[in-house]
């Protein structure tokens, strides 16, 4: 396990080595100088830096000890889970350990001995840091995949949650949604929330174990089936509203709603064969550094971008002190191939003179910063001025982005300028089944209130309280709230 050390991020074929350099030392007619570029860390196994939580607390098997069996041998219930015995225990950490060949170690839930009460379990992965997914999320289940489950994401360290993908053996029955595959999505719907039946139907416990969240298939919509046209992907990530944020998370949560049934109905005479067991979770991604860093460190139990371009913060999300002559901006993938660093500038540079770094290489003399020269044609509404600033870029107003300041950042909408959204159907900001009305307010279902429907009205006497609490949702109430959340998107398909 890596602690207090920089991890050099190993390149995957997916990223093709692009945007891995923040700056280079160049010689020009005016002398040596730094040339800056947009940059990002390479992709790694993010499970090496994750914190896992399983709830409710009593959902992990073994306390008290319990017998279980499999669908293949449903009446040979000789296996045992015992938390007090290391050889028989199945704690959450076994979802991330290294397994010897032929020997699977796994977390396991209690059996469905309380049927028909729902067997519900949440598995939460937290990084305390924004990360960008670069490959499929793959969850490996032993003894059968759930027949109903849901993947959720958070962008604010678990304070609020949004649906990411639904899984069911019958999407219409479980969530009131038409089943779809990611491969059926188009460029305009690449960040659509779908329900898939591809990973939930019974195929035998020894044959199909994996459940996927298909990142690569969504990338392939823009980059082609072999992900060779990465320039087009990076262009769309920069320009398409909400697309980059769709692949950004701080936390992931799997809500396991119904276990594998063995291809048949629930057999109440033998409930010891119904449970959840997860042997591995693969999450490949990179630290989100807003294109201001190409390295990330793991220290004091947290990931931290090694910021360049005079930026600072865990995500390089602000300018350093004395480099705040203009508002902070994230780096940009555009223009290709090197992007725009959007370097934070000091007071001297803001007057048109690049800052001097005389102590870096004293034998070479003063060091200057190099910035590209573009004919900006800045949008008159979205930019501070209709011409380039001293660094050669359009200076955008709050909430505005794009090389010409003609597009809105996520959570803003364009109406002769960019205005903040209270809610957003594409990003599904309304919670607990609320629906967004004209980006201005959330229409909340019975039992919920608040700007984003994030608060429960439940006080023990409210007539609509049944099932409103996330810790005691009945399947019917949970599925109905999920249906309400998706109706507007489903009607648009």
């Amino acid at each position: 396990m890596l602690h207090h050390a920089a991890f050099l991020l190993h390149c995957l074929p997916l990223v093709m080595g692009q945007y891995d350099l923040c700056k280079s030392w160049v010689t020009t007619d005016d002398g040596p100088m730094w040339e800056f570029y947009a940059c990002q860390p390479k992709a790694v196994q993010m499970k090496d830096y994750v914190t896992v939580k399983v709830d409710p607390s009593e959902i992990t098997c073994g306390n008290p000890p319990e017998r279980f069996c499999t669908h293949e041998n449903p009446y040979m219930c000789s296996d045992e889970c015992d938390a007090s015995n290391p050889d028989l225990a199945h704690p959450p950490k076994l979802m991330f350990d290294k397994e010897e060949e032929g020997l699977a170690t796994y977390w396991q839930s209690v059996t469905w001995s309380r049927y028909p009460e729902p067997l519900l379990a949440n598995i939460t992965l937290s990084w305390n840091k924004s990360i960008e997914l670069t490959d499929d999320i793959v969850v490996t289940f032993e003894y059968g995949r759930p027949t109903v489950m849901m993947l959720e994401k958070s962008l604010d360290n678990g304070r609020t949650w949004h649906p990411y993908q639904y899984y069911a053996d019958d999407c219409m029955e479980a969530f009131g949604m038409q089943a779809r595959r990611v491969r059926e999505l188009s460029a305009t719907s690449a960040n659509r929330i779908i329900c898939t039946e591809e990973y939930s139907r019974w195929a035998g416990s020894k044959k199909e174990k994996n459940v996927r969240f298909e990142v690569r298939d969504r990338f392939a919509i823009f980059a082609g089936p072999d992900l060779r046209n990465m320039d087009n992907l990076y262009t769309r990530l920069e320009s398409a509203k909400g697309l980059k944020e769709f692949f950004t998370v701080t936390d992931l949560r799997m809500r396991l709603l119904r276990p594998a049934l063995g291809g048949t109905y629930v057999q109440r005479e033998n409930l010891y064969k119904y449970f959840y067991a997860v042997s591995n979770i693969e999450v490949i991604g990179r630290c989100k550094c807003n294109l201001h860093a190409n390295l990330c460190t793991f220290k004091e139990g947290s990931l931290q971008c090694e910021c360049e371009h005079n930026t600072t913060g865990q995500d390089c999300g602000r300018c350093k002190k004395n480099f705040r002559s203009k508002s902070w901006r994230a780096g940009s993938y555009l223009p290709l191939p090197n992007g725009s660093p959007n370097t934070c500038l000091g007071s001297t540079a803001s007057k048109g003179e690049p800052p001097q770094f005389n102590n870096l290489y004293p034998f070479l003399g003063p060091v200057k910063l190099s910035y590209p020269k573009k004919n900006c044609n800045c949008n008159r509404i979205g930019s501070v001025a209709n011409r380039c600033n001293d660094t050669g870029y359009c200076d955008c107003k709050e909430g505005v982005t794009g090389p010409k300041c003609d597009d809105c950042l996520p959570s803003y909408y364009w109406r002769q300028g960019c205005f903040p959204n209270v809610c957003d159907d594409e990003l599904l900001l309304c919670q607990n089944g609320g629906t967004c009305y004209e980006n201005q307010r959330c229409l909340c279902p019975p039992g919920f209130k608040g700007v984003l429907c994030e608060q429960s009205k439940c006080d023990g006497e409210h007539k609509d309280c049944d099932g409103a609490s996330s810790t005691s949702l009945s399947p019917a109430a949970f599925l109905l709230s999920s249906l309400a959340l998706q109706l507007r998107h489903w009607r648009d398909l």
Side-chain angles (χ1 to χ4, degrees), residues 46 63 126 137 146 161 180 214 222 297 302 323 350 377 479:
M46 298 307 302
N63 188 19
S126 302
I137 298 170
W161 293 92
R180 292 182 69 93
E214 306 95 330
F222 308 106
T297 58
S302 182
F323 290 91
S350 67
N377 297 321
L479 300 182

Side-chain angles (χ1 to χ4, degrees), residues 240-271:
K241 179 184 177 184
L243 188 61
K244 188 187 298 184
E245 284 67 29
F246 181 81
F247 299 106
T248 302
V249 304
T250 59
D251 305 75
L252 291 168
R253 181 166 67 185
M254 287 181 291
R255 303 193 70 165
L256 309 180
L257 305 176
R258 191 172 67 200
L261 301 183
T264 182
Y265 58 89
V266 177
Q267 297 176 323
R268 302 188 63 165
E269 68 276 10
N270 185 9
L271 297 174

Side-chain angles (χ1 to χ4, degrees), residues 369-384:
L369 298 180
S370 173
Y371 301 97
K373 298 180 180 178
K374 302 188 306 185
N375 294 321
C376 294
N377 297 321
C378 304
N379 184 284
R380 291 173 179 262
I381 297 175
S383 63
V384 175

Side-chain angles (χ1 to χ4, degrees), residues 57-70:
S57 57
E58 67 274 10
I59 197 65
T60 299
C61 69
N63 188 19
E66 183 180 14
R67 292 185 299 113
F68 66 93
C69 46
T70 68

